[in-house]
Amino acid sequence: MTATGSRIDPLTVINRKRRGDRLTDTDITGIVESYLAGDIADYQMAAWLMAVACRGMDPAETSALTQALIGPARLHLGATTFVADKHSTGGVGDKTTLVLAPLLASLGIPVAKMSGRGLGHAGGTIDKLEAIPGLRLPQSPTQFRHALHTVGLAMTGHAADLAPGDQALYRLRDVTGTVESLPLIAASIMSKKIAAGASAVVLDVKTGSGALLHRLEDALGLARMMVAIGQQADLPTRAVVSNMDQPLGRAVGNTLEVAEAIAALKGEPVPDLVPLVLHLGGLLAAHAWPDRHLTDIRANMVAALGDGRALASFRRWVGHHGGDVDLIDHPERLPHAARIETLTASTSGWVSHVDAAVLGSLAQHLGAGRTRLNQTIDHTVGLRLHARVGDRITAGARLVELHLPVACPNLDHITQLALSAFTITEVAVPMPSLIHHTL
Ligand code: URA
């Protein structure tokens, strides 16, 4: 018997999904609750997840799974005003949250957000934030609410009592080949968004070589599913499908990305990063200020990046959590890698492709991400791109800097891998579009 009194036979529910039958709300709630209660073994839950990954779920089943993953607890933000939330499906060099959240807070739009750690070759916001010396993120709902009310900005990692079903299932999916399933991803992300209690959310669904979903039609399908779940749960939800064929901006790796985010907060036009921040921010601000025109909203955001307001908001937030605020004015004092190697182009031409998956997994293997559970990461290592798609370069020009750990025995292999990420052609290529769709 489960917490809501649903009695299910796991084998029947597994078999029905394996055959492609539609599951009832009771089946879905029952299997999740039984698993959390320890009444169903990992291998049975893994079999059910695989059946879902192969057979799919219809919209009603996906909504039922979302509610089951949320469970009974929701975070009460105690806010009387609009609170914004944002989520990315994960990408290489994606430091959007580090710029977007303080930017919106500086305009008087509070942001409350649960973020993740790096997953595979994609970096995670929590790892990036921990690259700021001294910074300690809120551990309890009380600290989270206090940050929201004091500095208008609250970010935390996975809270133990929030969307417990998602935490339990995500761990299992990661090691059973069941991550890349549209209904499982949609329910996982939306359970966290609904549980966290914001007023509106914008989802950045990445597509391309460095994304979870490589095909545009899959990313679009996921975006549609999540918007529909949000609508059903009365959570205003917008979704953007954006390009992740090449890394976002120029920096990949935790400290390097913090430095690049600070540069963007100081008004530097970091390629793709700033346009994406303005696009996502515009959608959230339009929810907060329904009477204002988008052109006016955008102008406000650009002004806040240019006149120091966004940076001041970031400084206040870092200081609130004990981080070294001096580093924001002097990012050159951030801890740096033991060694930097600069790689150059062997031919002249146009950069036609920069493979985000190759560079993301290179940074991960240098130590910027984890290859084993609970591994300690090296915040200082990573890459800095000097060339991006569409750039014209001459032989001998800088392509990429490798920020390396103290011990790097396989440097030749690393160098070859990094160079293999760049394709240089004799003819000019059109600039790839950053935003494919906005829903
Ligand atoms: N991010 C999530 O939170 N869940 C998924 O399933 C995939 C990406």
Side-chain angles (χ1 to χ4, degrees), residues 86 88-98 123-125 128 204 206 244 247-248 251 257 273 276:
K86 173 257 170 193
S88 155
T89 56
V92 178
D94 186 3
K95 69 284 292 173
T96 312
T97 296
L98 302 192
T125 302
K128 294 171 206 203
D204 181 13
K206 305 282 191 196
M244 187 29 74
L248 193 75
E257 292 190 43
L273 172 63
L276 184 61

Side-chain angles (χ1 to χ4, degrees), residues 87-90 116 119 158 166 170 173 178-193 212 222:
H87 195 90
S88 155
T89 56
L119 191 67
H158 230 137
D166 178 52
Y170 200 90
R173 286 170 59 209
T178 52
V179 171
E180 283 101 343
S181 149
L182 299 195
L184 293 180
I185 300 173
S188 161
I189 291 178
M190 292 310 290
S191 66
K192 289 187 281 265
K193 299 296 98 183
L212 198 54
L222 176 63

